[in-house]
Amino acid sequence: MNCRLCHGSGPLRRSHILPEFLHESMYDVKHRFHVLSIIPSQKNSLKQKGLYEELLCDRCEQLLSKWERYASLVLKGGVPLSARREGNLWHVSGIDYSQFKLFQLSILWRASISSLQFFKNVALGPHDERIRQMLLAEDPGPAARYGCMMFGLKFNGATLTDLMIQPGRIRLHSHVAYRFIFGGFLWAYIVTNHGVPPMLERVFLQPSGSAIFLVKDAETAQNLVGFGQELMRLGRL
């Protein structure tokens, strides 16, 4: 099989769809994490090494790993950033736009091309190829192109890092969006051929390295509440 990124032939690596560092807070003492399902025919399960499949050659795997390493430093406090709080909003600056935006794009693209059931709701159509070309060229594009809104999730005052929910397609301000929950954040990608309203664009990561994060309580997030209620109904929580 050919590499899904460069289309070159050769051995493929077992590539994580969501980077390994995002699973660390979810592992138990046996290095396992729970996958909860609200699909009646699909039982809860235990995984040990995240969600992966053979997608990329070694060279392309290393390319994406470079962006993952930078993102892990940003999310875990390993990069000096400036932050200013305004109510539930955090204005953050000092992020390397290219590296972090390409990390964001790589997550969306891998989820779309994955054959795993967990990512079945992420289907980008012609945007797959456009994002592939951007990744291959290491081109993050402008802020509004496949911009991602990030919401920090809290529960009882603590960051909610040990939760991952199946991605889904939603509508956001009349645009198609894909919602992911992992790593303590809700990530909402806007996928459109049209311009986005300025009020949306301003919260995306900007070429200047600034971004706006909204922090919200998980109990107020309707998709989280609905997911929990359905798990309880099925006796799987």
Side-chain angles (χ1 to χ4, degrees):
M1 293 180 63
N2 290 345
C3 172
R4 296 295 298 273
L5 182 56
C6 70
H7 291 175
S9 60
L12 298 183
R13 294 273 298 274
R14 293 200 301 178
S15 304
H16 282 90
I17 310 303
L18 299 178
E20 175 72 4
F21 79 85
L22 295 169
H23 297 81
E24 292 174 354
S25 63
M26 301 170 63
Y27 288 132
D28 62 15
V29 293
K30 295 183 179 180
H31 205 264
R32 305 174 303 179
F33 70 95
H34 293 266
V35 177
L36 307 182
S37 173
I38 59 174
I39 302 173
S41 61
Q42 183 177 314
K43 297 181 179 179
N44 290 348
S45 60
L46 287 169
K47 300 287 186 182
Q48 284 196 298
K49 289 295 291 181
L51 301 166
Y52 57 84
E53 59 184 302
E54 293 183 350
L55 294 176
L56 305 175
C57 66
D58 186 69
R59 182 169 174 267
C60 290
E61 182 72 25
Q62 292 301 317
L63 178 64
L64 269 60
S65 294
K66 176 181 70 174
W67 303 327
E68 290 175 6
R69 284 193 293 271
Y70 177 76
S72 71
L73 293 174
V74 170
L75 298 177
K76 294 183 176 182
V79 172
L81 302 173
S82 298
R84 174 177 59 85
R85 184 173 182 176
E86 183 183 341
N88 288 332
L89 297 178
W90 281 92
H91 299 259
V92 179
S93 59
I95 302 172
D96 185 301
Y97 174 75
S98 181
Q99 292 198 71
F100 201 83
K101 176 71 178 291
L102 287 167
F103 165 75
Q104 291 178 328
L105 291 175
S106 75
I107 296 289
L108 179 63
W109 178 74
R110 278 178 280 183
S112 182
I113 67 169
S114 174
S115 64
L116 299 180
Q117 181 75 5
F118 189 78
F119 299 103
K120 69 173 185 175
N121 297 322
V122 184
L124 303 182
H127 298 283
D128 272 344
E129 177 60 19
R130 295 169 193 168
I131 297 177
R132 185 187 76 84
Q133 293 286 355
M134 293 170 71
L135 295 173
L136 200 57
E138 301 187 48
D139 172 20
R145 185 177 300 166
Y146 309 118
C148 181
M149 302 171 64
M150 293 178 63
F151 300 82
L153 296 176
K154 296 278 189 179
F155 184 70
N156 289 335
T159 303
L160 191 62
T161 59
D162 55 353
L163 178 67
M164 184 182 296
I165 290 182
Q166 185 176 30
R169 175 172 168 152
I170 59 175
R171 299 291 296 186
L172 197 58
H173 292 274
S174 301
H175 293 286
V176 171
Y178 290 91
R179 181 220 65 217
F180 294 70
I181 293 175
F182 59 81
F185 289 91
L186 187 155
W187 312 62
Y189 293 88
I190 309 296
V191 178
T192 180
N193 290 317
H194 310 289
V196 298
M199 63 174 291
L200 279 183
E201 184 175 351
R202 67 186 290 265
V203 302
F204 298 154
L205 176 62
Q206 301 295 312
S208 63
S210 64
I212 298 176
F213 298 86
L214 172 66
V215 178
K216 63 190 305 181
D217 195 300
E219 291 180 315
T220 68
Q222 292 183 358
N223 55 304
L224 289 179
V225 174
F227 185 79
Q229 290 173 340
E230 187 64 11
L231 284 173
M232 291 181 67
R233 187 184 70 81
L234 294 170
R236 295 179 177 179
L237 189 62

Coordinates of all heavy atoms in Angstrom, one line a residue, residues 78 151 224 234:
G78 N 5.2 23.6 28.1 CA 6.6 23.5 27.8 C 7.1 24.6 26.8 O 8.2 24.7 26.5
F151 N -12.1 25.0 22.9 CA -12.8 25.3 24.1 C -12.2 24.5 25.2 O -12.2 23.2 25.1 CB -14.3 24.9 24.0 CG -15.1 25.6 23.0 CD1 -15.0 25.2 21.6 CD2 -15.9 26.7 23.3 CE1 -15.8 25.9 20.7 CE2 -16.6 27.4 22.3 CZ -16.5 27.0 21.0
L224 N -21.9 16.7 25.7 CA -21.3 15.9 26.7 C -22.5 15.4 27.6 O -22.5 14.2 28.0 CB -20.4 16.7 27.6 CG -19.0 17.1 26.9 CD1 -18.2 17.9 27.9 CD2 -18.3 15.9 26.5
L234 N -28.0 3.0 28.7 CA -27.5 1.7 28.3 C -26.8 0.9 29.3 O -26.4 -0.2 29.1 CB -26.6 1.9 27.1 CG -27.2 2.5 25.8 CD1 -26.2 2.8 24.8 CD2 -28.2 1.5 25.2

